[in-house]
């Protein structure tokens, strides 16, 4: 039984998976940016690609439809801001992560 007008379709599934996949790409970019600013571009590209291509991340959002990469993005941004001593912005990103999914409090 489906809600009127919301039949499952490939376009609907792609729309649901768009935000987690985009959040994964942005998280990988944040990892790359942080490590490149630390002075090692080789390690930055290797580690960001390792995150991007990790099997757990590939299974979580596009295949299973979980929304976990969204809160991971805000958690990583919070850690990056904390590292650069931008504490207010770090708390804002942490609050967004917790409001997205309470498991971000484990951080």
């Amino acid at each position: 039984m489906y809600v009127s007008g919301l039949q499952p379709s490939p376009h609907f599934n792609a729309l649901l998976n768009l935000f987690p996949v985009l959040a994964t790409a942005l998280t990988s970019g944040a990892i790359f940016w942080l490590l490149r600013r630390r002075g090692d571009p080789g390690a930055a590209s290797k580690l960001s690609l390792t995150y991007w291509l990790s099997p757990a991340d590939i299974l979580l959002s596009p295949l299973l439809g979980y929304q976990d990469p969204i809160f991971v993005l805000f958690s990583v941004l919070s850690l990056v801001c904390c590292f650069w001593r931008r504490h207010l912005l770090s708390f804002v990103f942490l609050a967004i992560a917790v409001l997205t999914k309470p498991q971000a409090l484990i951080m």
Side-chain angles (χ1 to χ4, degrees):
M1 183 179 336
Y2 297 106
V3 176
S4 175
L6 288 179
Q7 301 297 326
S9 70
H11 299 296
F12 183 67
N13 289 339
L15 181 65
L16 286 179
N17 290 331
L18 176 69
F19 296 112
V21 171
L22 192 63
T24 301
L26 291 174
T27 303
S28 181
I31 292 170
F32 177 77
W33 180 78
L34 175 67
L35 293 175
R36 187 182 51 128
R37 294 273 309 232
R38 295 280 302 176
D40 193 1
S45 61
K46 286 177 187 175
L47 287 175
S48 64
L49 279 176
T50 300
Y51 176 77
W52 176 259
L53 298 174
S54 68
D57 199 46
I58 291 172
L59 285 174
L60 276 179
S61 56
L63 296 179
L64 298 176
Y66 292 153
Q67 304 294 314
D68 291 349
I70 296 171
F71 95 87
V72 170
L73 168 66
F74 291 116
S75 298
V76 167
L77 289 175
S78 173
L79 288 173
V80 167
C81 289
C82 188
F83 179 77
W84 292 110
R85 301 190 191 280
R86 306 278 192 252
H87 299 295
L88 181 63
L89 196 56
S90 176
F91 287 130
V92 168
F93 283 132
L94 183 60
I96 294 171
V98 169
L99 288 173
T100 304
K101 193 165 185 178
Q103 280 85 345
L105 278 178
I106 294 171
M107 208 179 91

